[in-house]
Amino acid sequence: MTTMIESAKLAERLNAICDAQPFVTRFMVRALGSGETIGRGADEETPSASTRKTSIMMAALKAAHEGRLDLDERITYEKRFAEEVASGMFRYLSPGIVISLRDAITGMIVLSDNVCTKMVFERLTLEEVDNYCKSIGMTGTNHRFLIPPLALSPDHSLKAVTTTTARDQVYLLQTILDAQDSRDAADRLGCSQALCAYALQTLKNQILRYAIPSRLPFGVLVAHKGGTGKRGRMNAGIVYRDGTPFYIIAAYTDDVPQEMPDGTPGYTVALETIGRLSRACWDELRS
């Protein structure tokens, strides 16, 4: 009964954080100690922004596992890769740099570099990545574009971007985590356990520390991927406590105004909201 009481208290706190804002917040939390989940709009389609890149990474690793891609392939950075790109640092570098496909995957995740995303996605197809998600059980995820157009308006339709659900992202992260010790979980992802270990480590290497980690104690390990969309901010990750996976959280803000009534940029409050959700989980859950 103690766990149920704690979960009810946490659910109340999480919903109060969401209710305090004028925009939509969808989330799912899984307590890894008990397996319990708490959600709000967790099955509702929502813009994925760059949280989609975790599934792109896994689709690429599946192709590598099957021998269709070589992670050691050398890729030359060409000027065309920087066109219509608004994230990462490669767009500011001089063409001619050569990196491996493995390094491109790393750049796609740890800095959300869309030059690297283009390098990875050119070796896959949109249909392949979308079908991959459906095949592993991410039925609410729809990959529609390589890179969303820069000129998208803040009120764009869902069909103008790749979409996902908080539940799908928690499921994907849970399966990657399970694959560290379970061959069956690795098989569900179509990868070897070694490749799943690489995937988890790459998520742990995330450099950007806003949203989920922002209100946690300094140095807490979070394996996560964030996203910047025209309609909101999002983040999905695994939070560790004392070196052990503690909880998984996927949070998606939507219909975020450009400016709040007090003049604060909407995206600032969106990221802070996700940080507060994560901190509530840290405070209320029990190891």
Side-chain angles (χ1 to χ4, degrees):
M1 292 297 294
T2 302
T3 302
M4 292 179 63
I5 292 171
E6 289 169 353
S7 295
K9 182 181 177 183
L10 175 58
E12 182 178 357
R13 184 170 169 184
L14 294 174
N15 281 310
I17 291 168
C18 298
D19 290 340
Q21 301 304 334
F23 49 78
V24 175
T25 303
R26 305 177 177 98
F27 69 81
M28 174 168 274
V29 173
R30 173 167 291 157
L32 293 173
S34 66
E36 287 186 287
T37 60
I38 300 170
R40 178 184 175 115
D43 295 306
E44 295 176 6
E45 188 178 15
T46 190
S48 73
S50 288
T51 62
R52 70 196 176 99
K53 294 173 184 175
T54 305
S55 57
I56 296 171
M57 171 173 66
M58 298 314 299
L61 295 181
K62 177 179 185 288
H65 181 60
E66 294 172 347
R68 295 184 289 113
L69 290 181
D70 179 3
L71 295 179
D72 293 321
E73 177 194 352
R74 311 305 288 174
I75 305 172
T76 300
Y77 168 44
E78 302 171 29
K79 187 176 181 180
R80 64 184 178 86
F81 284 129
E83 295 173 0
E84 287 288 304
V85 165
S87 66
M89 62 174 251
F90 245 100
R91 58 193 162 133
Y92 301 120
L93 302 182
S94 302
I97 298 170
V98 179
I99 64 172
S100 68
L101 175 57
R102 181 184 287 104
D103 289 341
I105 292 172
T106 298
M108 176 178 72
I109 298 296
V110 305
L111 270 178
S112 206
D113 195 302
N114 271 344
V115 166
C116 292
T117 304
K118 285 187 175 183
M119 291 176 174
V120 176
F121 229 145
E122 279 201 351
R123 282 143 184 86
L124 302 165
T125 67
L126 193 63
E127 183 180 23
E128 177 181 3
V129 177
D130 190 58
N131 288 341
Y132 173 76
C133 289
K134 304 295 193 299
S135 72
I136 66 171
M138 297 175 68
T139 56
T141 298
N142 300 284
H143 284 266
R144 294 190 175 96
F145 296 95
L146 174 65
I147 302 291
L150 292 181
L152 270 178
S153 64
D155 62 349
H156 66 76
S157 70
L158 288 176
K159 290 187 177 181
V161 293
T162 290
T163 53
T164 190
T165 66
R167 185 182 301 277
D168 273 7
Q169 294 300 319
V170 169
Y171 168 78
L172 178 59
L173 291 169
Q174 179 74 69
T175 309
I176 293 171
L177 184 61
D178 290 345
Q180 307 306 301
D181 302 306
S182 167
R183 186 182 297 273
D184 286 344
D187 287 345
R188 285 200 299 277
L189 293 169
C191 298
S192 66
Q193 285 182 269
L195 288 173
C196 291
Y198 162 75
L200 183 59
Q201 184 59 52
T202 302
L203 290 166
K204 289 178 180 177
N205 292 343
Q206 176 61 249
I207 289 173
L208 305 174
R209 299 288 295 178
Y210 51 68
I212 291 173
S214 63
R215 284 181 162 260
L216 300 180
F218 181 78
V220 166
L221 178 60
V222 184
H224 67 118
K225 183 70 196 77
T228 299
K230 289 294 182 72
R231 289 177 28 166
R233 297 295 188 270
M234 40 289 280
N235 202 195
I238 306 165
V239 176
Y240 288 71
R241 191 165 197 160
D242 299 325
T244 301
F246 186 32
Y247 59 89
I248 300 174
I249 179 171
Y252 290 78
T253 62
D254 197 6
D255 295 329
V256 177
Q258 294 295 299
E259 186 175 285
M260 304 298 284
D262 66 355
T264 302
Y267 75 84
T268 302
V269 180
L271 291 171
E272 178 68 0
T273 296
I274 297 173
R276 288 180 181 277
L277 292 174
S278 181
R279 182 69 204 206
C281 295
W282 181 269
D283 291 341
E284 302 295 344
L285 293 173
R286 297 293 180 264
S287 303

